[in-house]
């Protein structure tokens, strides 16, 4: 009898997770967030970690299509890391501040690294 109760609770939990995933998928349809913008200024020690985290979002959550590193005056080491990551992943782009504006304005999910406060 106890095993049946545990099985029912586990089944309800799995059903709730399944429904949550369906709702999340419906919220992020094709008109949803297309890009992850990462604004960079100066030196960032944890840029590789932040890029790899964004890569996992693109690969596993299927909510975003591209990662765009915006250069607002990043140092050479940070720029090199962004450049190397863009060679490893075809959906990472390195753009200058002047290249940022476009007519297509997607919904944006942003890592803001321009300040030291996170």
């Amino acid at each position: 009898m106890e095993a049946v109760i545990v099985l029912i609770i586990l089944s309800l939990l799995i059903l709730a997770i399944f429904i949550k995933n369906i709702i999340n998928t419906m919220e992020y349809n094709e008109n949803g967030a297309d890009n992850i913008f990462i604004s960079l200024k100066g030196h960032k020690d944890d840029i590789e970690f932040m890029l790899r985290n964004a890569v996992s979002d693109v690969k596993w959550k299927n909510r975003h299509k591209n990662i765009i590193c915006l250069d607002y005056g990043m140092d050479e080491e940070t720029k090199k890391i962004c450049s190397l990551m863009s060679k490893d992943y075809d959906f990472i782009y390195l753009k200058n501040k002047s290249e940022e504006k476009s007519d297509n304005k997607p919904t944006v999910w942003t890592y803001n690294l321009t300040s030291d406060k996170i």
Side-chain angles (χ1 to χ4, degrees):
M1 185 67 179
E2 292 175 1
V4 172
I5 293 173
V6 170
L7 197 59
I8 290 173
I9 291 172
L10 286 175
S11 299
L12 291 174
L13 182 63
I14 291 170
L15 181 64
I17 291 170
F18 180 71
I19 291 171
K20 178 184 167 251
N21 287 338
I22 290 174
I23 291 171
N24 284 340
T25 303
M26 289 169 49
E27 287 178 356
Y28 290 95
N29 60 18
E30 57 199 45
N31 294 326
D34 291 334
N35 299 314
I36 298 174
F37 289 90
I38 303 177
S39 304
L40 297 162
K41 183 177 183 180
H43 179 73
K44 297 297 174 196
D45 289 327
D46 59 349
I47 185 60
E48 183 178 3
F49 171 76
M50 297 302 286
L51 283 172
R52 292 197 184 278
N53 186 29
V55 165
S56 72
D57 283 353
V58 169
K59 284 186 168 184
W60 295 102
K61 293 182 181 178
N62 295 323
R63 294 182 181 168
H64 311 290
K65 297 177 183 172
N66 299 308
I67 300 168
I68 301 173
C69 296
L70 295 173
D71 183 358
Y72 283 92
M74 68 175 94
D75 71 340
E76 289 303 316
E77 184 180 356
T78 304
K79 191 179 288 189
K80 181 179 178 184
I81 292 170
C82 290
S83 178
L84 289 172
M85 292 287 289
S86 70
K87 290 177 184 173
D88 290 343
Y89 300 99
D90 60 346
F91 49 86
I92 296 179
Y93 300 95
L94 180 60
K95 301 282 184 181
N96 292 330
K97 183 178 177 182
S98 60
E99 299 173 12
E100 171 190 1
K101 300 187 188 233
S102 68
D103 294 335
N104 184 5
K105 294 183 179 179
T107 306
V108 180
W109 187 88
T110 306
Y111 286 99
N112 185 0
L113 299 179
T114 55
S115 68
D116 292 332
K117 297 178 183 177
I118 296 179

